Amino acid sequence: MSDSWVNSAERAGSDLHLDLSGPGSRRSVLMGALRDAIRSGRLAPGTRLPPYRSLAADLGLARNTVAAAYAELIAEGWLTARQGSGTRVAQRAEPRKPTRAPKEARSVPAPVHNLRQGQPDAASFPRTAWLAAARRAINAAPNEAFGPGDPQGRPELRRALADYLSRVRGVRARPDQIVICSGFAHALRLLFPGVLRGPLAVESYGLAFHRELLHQASIRTVPLELDEHGPRVDELPSRKGVRAVLLTPAHQFPTGGPLHPARRAAVVDWARARDGLVLEDDYDGEFRYDREPVGAVQGLDPDRVLYIGSVSKSLSPAVRLGWMVLPEHLVDDVLAVKGEREAWASVLDQLTLADFVDSGHYDRHVRRMRQRYRRRRDQLVARLLERAPQVTATGVAAGLHAVLRLPPGSERSAVAAAARRGLALDGLAGFRHPDATMPAMDGLVVGYATPPEHAYASALDVLVDALAELTGLR
Ligand SMILES: Cc1ncc(COP(=O)(O)O)c(C=O)c1O
């Protein structure tokens, strides 16, 4: 492995964290960023750099730009290139010795590897196809599209989504039941407390940010236990005053399993009997690796299930577009909260996404990313088997993250061992509902989609090193 550029020196293969925001040509900005990384010691002498093609892809630059930057830095003496051994940081380019160690460097280093869950591989955003879709969509848009936006969302996008969601996720939707928003968090803000009031049943493990949003809207959340079949929806009838439940049925967030088929039916029956509502958070439903995706629960009863999706996992959280497929009787209430004009979701981005979906680029991108994430998932499982066989990865059949279950009491030391090696990742504790009564689970949530391609293998190396250090696992 010492030949591999991702493994040759202490920091090699880490996400290079190059700041390319400065003024000037892309080439000179990249050269400046590489010089800074070498001067500061982040790129140590001897470190092998990624092949210019990979770095170009990860940074979204033209290959020529990166090749030219490498060539100039070689000419300046910062880098060396030898046939068969790639491009490396020159031995004589000594890092400047800091006169005084920065505060945090003395205790825990700033993370250089990132396996935190929550985002797709940002380097894979389909820039060219997105730009082409934007160009086509803006050229074809009628003049009225450039006036104030309809708060329900562009009809082009609602039509495209109705078709896509029914084809891919088994959602039963007509365009007039869809309301566009800027993502799942925005959907929660629109629904609570303007349309729905608490208390709301939720899963015992979930995203703290969403719990906080609900708390700010004065909504009391009531946790349901989780077991190997997902949330215990059989607890719903005994939860006083609860008429709505928020679930992640395709892939429980963050623990990972799908909701058992019997429970899918049971929760819909409960909603019918209680005149209640199921809120379905389908945040990564398209990413399923070992069999066909599990369809949305919404397909079982569109009058009782409110379906919410966004492009944050499939495309990018930077796009800020999402959608609600509403039971008919709630459409007007949601529109009343949204107001007279679209104030959140850019109409131009909506038109672009509509074209992106209709032209097949969305399906193609999801397919490509599914292959990439499956490969990364397989690499994670293989590395664990090889270096930390005591640790099992769970929730790996789908999604962009896995949970590594750990013996009770060992989670904090595992997170700390990773942090000491410059690896950022989360433990399960941060996802636990403060009122949960089920036994606590120890585990690491590994976002295997997060790093760019060039940084993934070394992030895994650091992860298994950190796990190997835990005595309880031997
Ligand atoms: C559980 C869960 N739901 C929904 C989302 C999507 O959130 P948003 O659309 O607000 O970016 C995420 C994050 O991407 C998530 O982790």
Side-chain angles (χ1 to χ4, degrees):
M1 282 288 273
S2 64
D3 244 14
S4 150
W5 72 270
V6 289
N7 203 27
S8 56
E10 196 193 351
R11 290 277 168 100
S14 59
D15 191 342
L16 295 179
H17 296 297
L18 299 174
D19 177 5
L20 301 183
S21 58
S25 72
R26 308 299 278 162
R27 179 179 50 81
S28 67
V29 170
L30 173 62
M31 286 174 62
L34 284 167
R35 281 192 211 102
D36 279 350
I38 295 168
R39 265 195 224 105
S40 69
R42 259 191 311 122
L43 284 175
T47 299
R48 190 167 171 174
L49 292 183
Y52 71 87
R53 275 181 253 91
S54 329
L55 192 61
D58 285 345
L59 298 177
L61 297 175
R63 288 176 184 183
N64 290 349
T65 305
V66 180
Y70 276 15
E72 280 198 45
L73 291 172
I74 291 167
E76 290 177 5
W78 293 89
L79 303 177
T80 57
R82 211 168 299 137
Q83 191 80 38
S85 100
T87 305
R88 290 176 188 269
V89 177
Q91 288 298 341
R92 51 187 281 275
E94 277 298 315
R96 192 171 53 205
K97 297 267 184 306
T99 41
R100 193 159 53 85
K103 244 186 192 161
E104 71 273 28
R106 276 182 245 136
S107 46
V108 175
V112 282
H113 303 280
N114 188 358
L115 288 176
R116 296 195 71 193
Q117 70 72 37
Q119 67 169 72
D121 175 359
S124 300
F125 185 77
R127 298 177 195 231
T128 310
W130 184 260
L131 281 171
R135 170 180 277 273
R136 279 192 304 270
I138 289 170
N139 271 330
N143 289 342
E144 54 86 14
F146 301 93
D150 177 351
Q152 185 153 11
R154 281 303 298 182
E156 294 90 335
L157 179 57
R158 289 185 286 114
R159 272 197 299 273
L161 286 172
D163 171 60
Y164 174 81
L165 294 172
S166 112
R167 182 166 52 79
V168 174
R169 304 292 305 122
V171 170
R172 287 199 267 159
R174 290 191 320 272
D176 60 4
Q177 280 171 267
I178 297 181
V179 173
I180 301 301
C181 54
S182 75
F184 180 83
H186 184 214
L188 279 188
R189 287 188 166 105
L190 290 171
L191 292 168
F192 296 96
V195 179
L196 306 168
R197 279 155 215 277
L200 173 71
V202 296
E203 296 160 327
S204 279
Y205 281 76
L207 209 54
F209 170 56
H210 294 161
R211 279 198 300 272
E212 186 53 31
L213 276 183
L214 291 162
H215 179 70
Q216 282 165 13
S218 303
I219 301 298
R220 185 165 66 87
T221 53
V222 179
L224 299 177
E225 280 200 17
L226 295 170
D227 64 19
E228 72 278 18
H229 298 310
R232 295 267 314 270
V233 297
D234 58 319
E235 293 176 347
L236 281 168
S238 66
R239 299 301 156 109
K240 266 223 167 99
V242 168
R243 284 178 50 205
V245 58
L246 170 60
L247 301 175
T248 47
H251 187 227
Q252 201 285 320
F253 183 87
T255 61
L259 184 62
H260 191 278
R263 291 191 186 174
R264 289 160 63 92
V267 75
V268 170
D269 286 345
W270 167 82
R272 285 178 183 144
R274 187 81 180 84
D275 189 20
L277 193 65
V278 180
L279 298 162
E280 178 169 23
D281 175 4
D282 197 32
Y283 65 102
D284 66 3
E286 287 117 334
F287 294 103
R288 186 158 188 103
Y289 307 120
D290 303 319
R291 59 180 165 100
E292 284 300 297
V294 184
V297 173
Q298 192 268 4
L300 298 181
D301 192 339
D303 290 329
R304 290 289 157 204
V305 184
L306 193 168
Y307 175 92
I308 309 170
S310 82
V311 297
S312 291
K313 293 282 166 91
S314 56
L315 207 48
S316 158
V319 176
R320 299 316 309 152
L321 277 179
W323 45 87
M324 284 182 265
V325 181
L326 295 159
E328 234 168 75
H329 67 279
L330 289 179
V331 174
D332 287 344
D333 294 352
V334 172
L335 290 178
V337 174
K338 247 193 135 187
E340 276 182 25
R341 304 169 157 206
E342 176 58 69
W344 291 274
S346 151
V347 169
L348 302 189
D349 288 341
Q350 292 185 44
L351 291 168
T352 303
L353 181 60
D355 180 287
F356 201 72
V357 173
D358 283 339
S359 60
H361 280 101
Y362 192 71
D363 289 72
R364 228 165 289 152
H365 179 70
V366 167
R367 243 186 343 261
R368 187 164 71 90
M369 296 318 290
R370 199 186 290 133
Q371 279 167 9
R372 173 169 298 184
Y373 297 146
R374 180 196 281 127
R375 210 165 46 238
R376 290 190 184 192
R377 189 264 326 240
D378 292 346
Q379 271 173 278
L380 168 67
V381 171
R383 284 303 267 145
L384 288 172
L385 252 175
E386 187 189 343
R387 292 278 316 280
Q390 318 83 328
V391 180
T392 15
T394 59
V396 291
L400 278 59
H401 68 272
V403 172
L404 312 188
R405 293 298 299 275
L406 299 173
S410 57
E411 178 180 306
R412 278 178 68 166
S413 28
V415 174
R420 279 196 299 280
R421 290 168 167 78
L423 169 64
L425 86 181
D426 296 308
L428 271 178
F431 298 91
R432 183 178 168 83
H433 193 290
D435 301 334
T437 50
M438 63 182 283
M441 296 189 262
D442 279 60
L444 298 176
V445 183
V446 176
Y448 51 80
T450 304
E453 276 297 87
H454 75 259
Y456 185 58
S458 54
L460 284 188
D461 287 343
V462 176
L463 172 67
V464 292
D465 275 355
L467 289 171
E469 179 191 308
L470 298 178
T471 46
L473 298 181
R474 296 224 177 90

